[in-house]
Amino acid sequence: MEEGHSFAEKHGLQIKAEISDPYGEPNPCLRSGWRLVREMAERGEVDVVLTRWPTALSSESELRYPELDHLGRHGAQLFFTWAPLSAMAGSGAAR
């Protein structure tokens, strides 16, 4: 969480919620934490979702793309906070 807060501060982002989404289930839609993220995006409550790296979304890359599309349709982006990824992706945006 400290990494996420540092990333947000560095990029002028306001953290509206911290959502725990325990790793284990590869399908993000089957995890209550990720469902809450989706719902917040659908309601327009978030513009940016922070996570450390892609496997935090799903260990299976093909399950990540529908979630990125879902966020994008609702005006939200996923940013990676882990320094190597955030530097490579132009401030961490993964859309």
Side-chain angles (χ1 to χ4, degrees):
M1 281 198 242
E2 184 178 320
E3 182 178 274
H5 281 272
S6 295
F7 182 93
E9 185 176 322
K10 179 180 177 182
H11 296 280
L13 301 171
Q14 178 185 3
I15 294 182
K16 295 182 180 180
E18 293 176 0
I19 298 170
S20 180
D21 187 37
Y23 186 78
E25 170 56 56
N27 185 339
C29 291
L30 297 179
R31 298 191 313 261
S32 60
W34 186 255
R35 285 194 309 268
L36 181 55
V37 170
R38 287 174 60 99
E39 291 167 6
M40 290 178 76
E42 290 166 7
R43 292 189 298 263
E45 296 173 2
V46 296
D47 300 323
V48 172
V49 174
L50 301 179
T51 190
R52 187 152 204 236
W53 41 46
T55 57
L57 179 54
S58 177
S59 58
E60 298 178 22
S61 62
E62 65 275 3
L63 293 177
R64 296 176 202 150
Y65 299 111
E67 299 310 308
L68 293 172
D69 288 343
H70 182 82
L71 291 177
R73 282 193 308 275
H74 297 285
Q77 298 179 46
L78 180 68
F79 283 26
F80 300 119
T81 60
W82 188 54
L85 289 177
S86 65
M88 289 175 25
S91 300
R95 233 173 143 187

